Amino acid sequence: IKDVELLTSLAQRLLKHGFVSTFSAQAVANTAWAFATLRIKDVKVMTALAQRTLEDGFLSTFSNQAVANTVWAYATLGFHNHILMEAVAMQTTEPGFLDTFNAQNVANTAWAY
């Protein structure tokens, strides 16, 4: 089921002033994943999620699954946010972080790059 009206309303809510700044890492990843899975290329939503992700220190709160899902979503939708992808790459290569990746996390992240 793909309810365009509902997704449009959710996007509008997300874009209300300051709301996306309340998103956790999991909320960012899940929202990006949902829009990508449904092939909804909403530039404003994906830009807002990227900006949230790039807020100072926020990326360090992402789990391995959140990282993999987020980069997979951007790649699936064909969004080329080089700043976001470089920041995620730096976070991913922090000592010990890749050790937390399972096979699916490795595959999704590799595919995104």
Side-chain angles (χ1 to χ4, degrees):
I1 296 173
K2 182 176 176 181
D3 188 323
V4 175
E5 185 177 336
L6 172 62
L7 290 164
T8 299
S9 295
L10 291 172
Q12 289 171 349
R13 174 65 177 125
L14 181 148
L15 295 169
K16 286 201 184 237
H17 182 70
F19 184 67
V20 76
S21 68
T22 68
F23 275 38
S24 66
Q26 184 173 349
V28 168
N30 289 352
T31 304
W33 176 88
F35 276 76
T37 299
L38 295 170
R39 302 294 193 262
I40 298 172
K41 193 170 185 174
D42 188 313
V43 174
K44 290 180 181 178
V45 166
M46 298 307 286
T47 298
L49 294 174
Q51 289 171 341
R52 172 64 174 138
T53 302
L54 292 168
E55 287 178 11
D56 191 38
F58 185 64
L59 191 53
S60 68
T61 68
F62 276 59
S63 68
N64 55 0
Q65 186 70 49
V67 164
N69 286 355
T70 301
V71 296
W72 175 88
Y74 279 83
T76 296
L77 290 173
F79 278 99
H80 303 287
N81 186 318
H82 297 289
I83 296 170
L84 174 66
M85 297 302 275
E86 286 177 17
V88 171
M90 287 178 59
Q91 173 65 30
T92 302
T93 56
E94 283 291 313
F97 192 72
L98 277 175
D99 294 339
T100 68
F101 273 42
N102 63 28
Q104 190 67 55
N105 299 147
V106 169
N108 287 355
T109 303
W111 179 84
Y113 282 86

